[in-house]
Amino acid sequence: QVQLVESGGGLVQAGGSLRLSCAATSRSVFSINRMGWYRQAPGKQRELVATVRNGGSTDYADSVKGRFTIARDNAKDTVYLQMDSLKPEDTAVYYCYAIGSTWYWGQGTQVTVSS
């Protein structure tokens, strides 16, 4: 079983920055081959924001390319999401996820961007 502990998030003005962190804690951490972030805004479906694989390759949603950066610290089993140039439409609950023998989810953290 893998547990994902998220931190970061909060309220920021448009154009500002935030950094989310997600630490994986478990004896099964070695089984994780992909980590990343989804988000869900009120009334909308959950969408994939960014992914980083064990080899370091990354993927981003078109809506965040050039503004968000995902990075993984393998020594700390932690993934980070640096969010710059934030827009009101980035407002959502952000969920960390990890894929190993199954899918794992964090508890979610609120990001609110005011205009």
Side-chain angles (χ1 to χ4, degrees):
Q1 187 73 11
V2 174
Q3 291 183 322
L4 302 178
V5 180
E6 301 173 6
S7 60
L11 174 64
V12 66
Q13 290 187 331
S17 298
L18 285 173
R19 189 176 82 155
L20 306 181
S21 300
C22 174
T25 58
S26 168
R27 294 180 180 178
S28 300
V29 161
F30 67 90
S31 70
I32 295 175
N33 54 63
R34 188 184 306 181
M35 296 183 72
W37 299 85
Y38 274 76
R39 69 184 179 186
Q40 187 165 21
K44 295 187 177 181
Q45 290 186 330
R46 190 173 293 193
E47 66 168 339
L48 179 62
V49 177
T51 293
V52 58
R53 297 174 184 81
N54 279 0
S57 63
T58 57
D59 288 319
Y60 296 92
D62 288 342
S63 58
V64 307
K65 283 181 181 177
R67 300 187 298 121
F68 290 11
T69 303
I70 190 169
R72 182 174 175 179
D73 185 335
N74 290 324
K76 297 181 179 180
D77 296 317
T78 299
V79 64
Y80 304 95
L81 186 67
Q82 178 66 39
M83 305 184 293
D84 299 318
S85 303
L86 282 161
K87 304 175 181 180
E89 50 264 43
D90 294 317
T91 296
V93 177
Y94 284 69
Y95 297 91
C96 176
Y97 81 95
I99 300 176
S101 58
T102 186
W103 283 70
Y104 303 97
W105 293 94
Q107 77 278 10
T109 185
Q110 177 71 46
V111 171
T112 302
V113 184
S114 63
S115 58

